[in-house]
Coordinates of all heavy atoms in Angstrom, one line a residue:
T24 N 17.8 -9.4 0.2 CA 16.4 -9.2 -0.1 C 15.7 -8.9 1.3 O 16.2 -9.2 2.3 CB 15.7 -10.4 -0.7 OG1 15.8 -11.5 0.2 CG2 16.3 -10.8 -2.0
R25 N 14.6 -8.2 1.2 CA 13.7 -8.0 2.3 C 12.2 -8.2 1.9 O 11.9 -7.8 0.8 CB 13.8 -6.5 2.8 CG 15.1 -6.2 3.4 CD 15.1 -6.6 4.9 NE 16.3 -6.2 5.5 CZ 16.4 -5.7 6.7 NH1 15.3 -5.6 7.5 NH2 17.6 -5.4 7.2
P26 N 11.4 -8.9 2.7 CA 10.0 -9.1 2.3 C 9.3 -7.7 2.3 O 9.5 -6.9 3.2 CB 9.5 -10.0 3.3 CG 10.4 -9.9 4.5 CD 11.7 -9.5 4.0
G27 N 8.4 -7.6 1.3 CA 7.6 -6.3 1.3 C 6.5 -6.5 0.3 O 6.3 -7.5 -0.4
W28 N 5.7 -5.4 0.2 CA 4.5 -5.5 -0.7 C 4.1 -4.1 -1.2 O 4.5 -3.1 -0.6 CB 3.3 -6.1 0.0 CG 3.1 -5.6 1.4 CD1 3.6 -6.2 2.5 CD2 2.3 -4.5 1.8 NE1 3.1 -5.4 3.6 CE2 2.3 -4.4 3.2 CE3 1.5 -3.5 1.1 CZ2 1.7 -3.4 3.9 CZ3 0.9 -2.5 1.8 CH2 1.0 -2.5 3.2
I29 N 3.4 -4.1 -2.3 CA 2.9 -2.8 -2.9 C 1.4 -3.0 -3.2 O 1.0 -4.0 -3.8 CB 3.6 -2.4 -4.1 CG1 5.1 -2.1 -3.8 CG2 3.0 -1.2 -4.8 CD1 5.9 -1.9 -5.0
L30 N 0.5 -2.1 -2.8 CA -0.9 -2.1 -3.1 C -1.1 -1.0 -4.1 O -0.7 0.2 -3.8 CB -1.8 -1.9 -1.9 CG -1.6 -3.0 -0.8 CD1 -2.6 -2.6 0.4 CD2 -1.9 -4.4 -1.3
T31 N -1.8 -1.2 -5.2 CA -2.1 -0.2 -6.1 C -3.4 -0.5 -6.9 O -3.7 -1.7 -7.0 CB -0.9 0.0 -7.2 OG1 -1.3 1.2 -8.0 CG2 -0.7 -1.2 -8.0
R32 N -4.0 0.5 -7.3 CA -5.3 0.3 -8.0 C -5.4 1.2 -9.2 O -6.2 0.9 -10.2 CB -6.5 0.5 -7.1 CG -7.8 0.2 -7.8 CD -8.9 0.3 -6.8 NE -10.2 0.4 -7.5 CZ -11.3 0.5 -6.9 NH1 -11.4 0.5 -5.6 NH2 -12.4 0.6 -7.6
G33 N -4.9 2.4 -9.2 CA -5.1 3.3 -10.3 C -4.0 4.4 -10.3 O -3.0 4.3 -9.7
A34 N -4.4 5.5 -11.0 CA -3.5 6.6 -11.2 C -4.1 7.9 -10.8 O -5.4 8.0 -10.8 CB -3.0 6.7 -12.6
G35 N -3.3 8.9 -10.4 CA -3.9 10.2 -10.1 C -4.1 11.0 -11.3 O -3.9 10.6 -12.4
R36 N -4.5 12.3 -11.1 CA -4.8 13.2 -12.2 C -3.6 13.4 -13.1 O -3.7 13.6 -14.3 CB -5.2 14.6 -11.6 CG -6.6 14.5 -11.0 CD -7.0 15.9 -10.6 NE -5.9 16.6 -9.8 CZ -6.0 17.2 -8.7 NH1 -7.2 17.3 -8.1 NH2 -5.0 17.7 -8.1
D37 N -2.4 13.3 -12.5 CA -1.2 13.5 -13.2 C -0.7 12.2 -13.9 O 0.4 12.1 -14.4 CB -0.1 14.1 -12.4 CG 0.2 13.2 -11.1 OD1 -0.4 12.1 -11.0 OD2 1.0 13.6 -10.3
K38 N -1.5 11.1 -13.8 CA -1.2 9.8 -14.5 C -0.1 9.0 -13.7 O 0.4 8.0 -14.3 CB -0.8 10.0 -15.9 CG -1.8 10.8 -16.8 CD -3.1 10.1 -16.9 CE -4.0 10.8 -17.9 NZ -5.3 11.0 -17.5
R39 N 0.3 9.5 -12.5 CA 1.2 8.7 -11.8 C 0.5 7.6 -10.9 O -0.6 7.9 -10.5 CB 2.1 9.6 -10.8 CG 3.0 10.5 -11.6 CD 3.9 11.2 -10.7 NE 3.2 12.2 -10.0 CZ 3.7 13.0 -9.0 NH1 4.9 12.8 -8.6 NH2 2.9 13.9 -8.4
C40 N 1.1 6.5 -10.8 CA 0.6 5.4 -10.0 C 0.3 5.8 -8.6 O 1.1 6.4 -7.9 CB 1.6 4.2 -10.1 SG 1.0 2.8 -9.1
L41 N -0.8 5.4 -8.0 CA -1.2 5.6 -6.6 C -0.9 4.3 -5.9 O -1.5 3.3 -6.3 CB -2.6 6.1 -6.4 CG -3.0 7.4 -7.1 CD1 -4.5 7.6 -6.9 CD2 -2.2 8.5 -6.6
A42 N 0.0 4.3 -5.0 CA 0.3 3.0 -4.3 C 0.7 3.2 -2.9 O 1.0 4.3 -2.4 CB 1.5 2.4 -5.1
L43 N 0.5 2.1 -2.1 CA 1.0 2.0 -0.7 C 2.0 0.9 -0.7 O 1.9 -0.1 -1.3 CB -0.2 1.6 0.2 CG -1.4 2.6 0.3 CD1 -2.5 2.0 1.1 CD2 -0.9 3.9 0.9
A44 N 3.1 1.2 0.1 CA 4.2 0.2 0.2 C 4.3 -0.2 1.7 O 4.2 0.6 2.6 CB 5.5 0.8 -0.3
G45 N 4.6 -1.5 1.9 CA 4.8 -1.9 3.2 C 5.9 -3.0 3.3 O 6.3 -3.6 2.3
K46 N 6.3 -3.3 4.5 CA 7.3 -4.3 4.7 C 6.7 -5.6 5.3 O 5.6 -5.5 5.9 CB 8.5 -3.8 5.6 CG 8.1 -3.4 7.0 CD 9.3 -2.9 7.8 CE 8.9 -2.5 9.2 NZ 10.0 -2.0 9.9
G47 N 7.4 -6.7 5.2 CA 6.9 -7.9 5.8 C 5.9 -8.6 4.9 O 5.9 -8.5 3.7
T48 N 5.0 -9.4 5.5 CA 4.1 -10.2 4.8 C 2.9 -9.4 4.2 O 2.4 -8.5 4.9 CB 3.4 -11.3 5.8 OG1 4.5 -12.1 6.3 CG2 2.5 -12.2 5.1
P49 N 2.6 -9.6 3.0 CA 1.5 -8.8 2.4 C 0.2 -9.0 3.2 O -0.1 -10.0 3.8 CB 1.3 -9.4 1.0 CG 2.6 -10.1 0.7 CD 3.1 -10.6 2.0
P50 N -0.7 -7.9 3.2 CA -1.9 -8.0 4.0 C -3.0 -8.8 3.3 O -4.1 -8.9 3.8 CB -2.3 -6.5 4.1 CG -1.7 -5.9 2.9 CD -0.5 -6.6 2.6
G51 N -2.7 -9.4 2.1 CA -3.7 -10.2 1.4 C -3.1 -10.9 0.3 O -1.9 -10.8 0.0
T52 N -3.9 -11.7 -0.5 CA -3.4 -12.4 -1.6 C -3.3 -11.5 -2.9 O -4.1 -10.7 -3.2 CB -4.4 -13.6 -1.9 OG1 -4.6 -14.3 -0.8 CG2 -4.0 -14.4 -3.1
S53 N -2.2 -11.7 -3.6 CA -1.9 -11.0 -4.8 C -3.1 -11.1 -5.8 O -3.6 -12.2 -6.0 CB -0.6 -11.5 -5.5 OG -0.4 -10.7 -6.6
G54 N -3.5 -10.0 -6.4 CA -4.6 -10.0 -7.4 C -6.0 -9.9 -6.8 O -6.9 -9.9 -7.6
T55 N -6.1 -9.8 -5.5 CA -7.4 -9.7 -4.9 C -7.6 -8.3 -4.4 O -6.6 -7.5 -4.1 CB -7.6 -10.7 -3.7 OG1 -6.7 -10.4 -2.7 CG2 -7.5 -12.1 -4.2
Q56 N -8.8 -7.9 -4.1 CA -9.1 -6.5 -3.6 C -8.8 -6.6 -2.1 O -9.3 -7.5 -1.4 CB -10.6 -6.2 -3.8 CG -10.9 -4.8 -3.3 CD -12.3 -4.3 -3.7 OE1 -12.8 -4.7 -4.7 NE2 -12.8 -3.4 -2.9
I57 N -8.1 -5.6 -1.6 CA -7.7 -5.5 -0.2 C -8.2 -4.2 0.3 O -7.9 -3.1 -0.2 CB -6.2 -5.6 0.0 CG1 -5.7 -7.0 -0.5 CG2 -5.8 -5.4 1.5 CD1 -4.2 -7.1 -0.6
N58 N -9.1 -4.2 1.3 CA -9.6 -3.0 1.9 C -8.6 -2.4 2.9 O -8.1 -3.1 3.7 CB -10.9 -3.2 2.6 CG -12.0 -3.6 1.7 OD1 -12.1 -3.0 0.6 ND2 -12.8 -4.6 2.0
V59 N -8.2 -1.1 2.7 CA -7.2 -0.5 3.5 C -7.9 0.3 4.6 O -8.6 1.3 4.3 CB -6.3 0.4 2.6 CG1 -5.3 1.1 3.5 CG2 -5.6 -0.4 1.6
D60 N -7.8 -0.1 5.8 CA -8.4 0.7 6.9 C -7.2 1.5 7.6 O -6.1 1.4 7.2 CB -9.1 -0.3 7.9 CG -8.2 -1.3 8.5 OD1 -6.9 -1.2 8.4 OD2 -8.7 -2.2 9.2
E61 N -7.6 2.2 8.6 CA -6.6 3.1 9.3 C -5.5 2.3 9.9 O -4.3 2.6 9.8 CB -7.3 3.9 10.4 CG -6.3 4.9 11.0 CD -7.0 5.8 12.0 OE1 -8.3 5.9 12.0 OE2 -6.3 6.4 12.8
A62 N -5.8 1.1 10.4 CA -4.7 0.3 11.0 C -3.7 -0.2 10.0 O -2.5 -0.1 10.2 CB -5.4 -0.9 11.7
L63 N -4.2 -0.6 8.8 CA -3.3 -1.0 7.8 C -2.5 0.2 7.2 O -1.3 0.1 7.0 CB -4.0 -1.7 6.6 CG -3.2 -2.2 5.4 CD1 -2.0 -3.1 5.8 CD2 -4.1 -2.8 4.4
L64 N -3.2 1.3 7.0 CA -2.5 2.5 6.5 C -1.4 2.9 7.4 O -0.3 3.3 6.9 CB -3.5 3.6 6.4 CG -3.0 4.9 5.8 CD1 -2.5 4.7 4.4 CD2 -4.1 6.0 5.8
R65 N -1.5 2.8 8.7 CA -0.5 3.2 9.7 C 0.7 2.3 9.6 O 1.8 2.7 10.1 CB -1.0 3.2 11.1 CG -2.0 4.4 11.3 CD -2.5 4.5 12.7 NE -3.4 5.6 12.9 CZ -3.0 6.8 13.2 NH1 -1.8 7.1 13.3 NH2 -4.0 7.7 13.3
T66 N 0.7 1.1 9.0 CA 1.8 0.2 8.9 C 2.6 0.5 7.6 O 3.7 -0.1 7.4 CB 1.4 -1.2 8.8 OG1 0.7 -1.5 7.6 CG2 0.5 -1.6 10.0
T67 N 2.2 1.4 6.7 CA 2.8 1.6 5.4 C 4.0 2.6 5.5 O 4.1 3.5 6.3 CB 1.8 2.1 4.4 OG1 1.4 3.4 4.7 CG2 0.6 1.2 4.2
F68 N 4.9 2.4 4.5 CA 6.0 3.4 4.3 C 5.4 4.7 4.0 O 5.9 5.7 4.5 CB 6.8 2.9 3.1 CG 7.9 3.8 2.7 CD1 9.0 4.0 3.5 CD2 7.8 4.6 1.5 CE1 10.0 4.9 3.1 CE2 8.8 5.4 1.2 CZ 9.9 5.6 2.0
N69 N 4.3 4.8 3.3 CA 3.7 6.1 3.0 C 3.3 6.9 4.3 O 3.6 8.1 4.4 CB 2.4 5.9 2.2 CG 2.6 5.0 1.0 OD1 2.9 3.8 1.2 ND2 2.4 5.5 -0.2
H70 N 2.7 6.2 5.2 CA 2.3 6.8 6.5 C 3.6 7.3 7.2 O 3.6 8.4 7.7 CB 1.6 5.9 7.4 CG 1.2 6.5 8.7 ND1 1.9 6.3 9.8 CD2 0.1 7.3 9.0 CE1 1.3 6.9 10.8 NE2 0.3 7.5 10.4
H71 N 4.6 6.5 7.2 CA 5.9 6.8 7.9 C 6.5 8.1 7.3 O 6.8 9.0 8.1 CB 6.9 5.7 7.8 CG 8.2 6.0 8.4 ND1 8.4 6.1 9.7 CD2 9.4 6.2 7.8 CE1 9.7 6.4 9.9 NE2 10.3 6.5 8.7

């Protein structure tokens, strides 16, 4: 196993899930709203 997290809120026009994935400790508590700023975005698999 490896620690990681997924942030999602909705779907795109094509009905596919929009999500950000990252490794390590999640940036917030599960089930709560997490504001994604540029610094957090740069840590994601998506950015990479």
Side-chain angles (χ1 to χ4, degrees):
T24 63
R25 292 278 183 138
W28 46 268
I29 296 173
L30 301 179
T31 186
R32 182 176 164 180
R36 291 185 309 229
D37 56 7
K38 309 290 188 226
R39 289 187 290 174
C40 178
L41 300 176
L43 298 172
K46 63 182 179 179
T48 304
T52 304
S53 181
T55 63
Q56 183 171 334
I57 298 170
N58 293 318
V59 179
D60 59 12
E61 185 177 343
L63 177 57
L64 182 61
R65 288 182 182 275
T66 70
T67 66
F68 174 72
N69 309 65
H70 179 265
H71 173 73

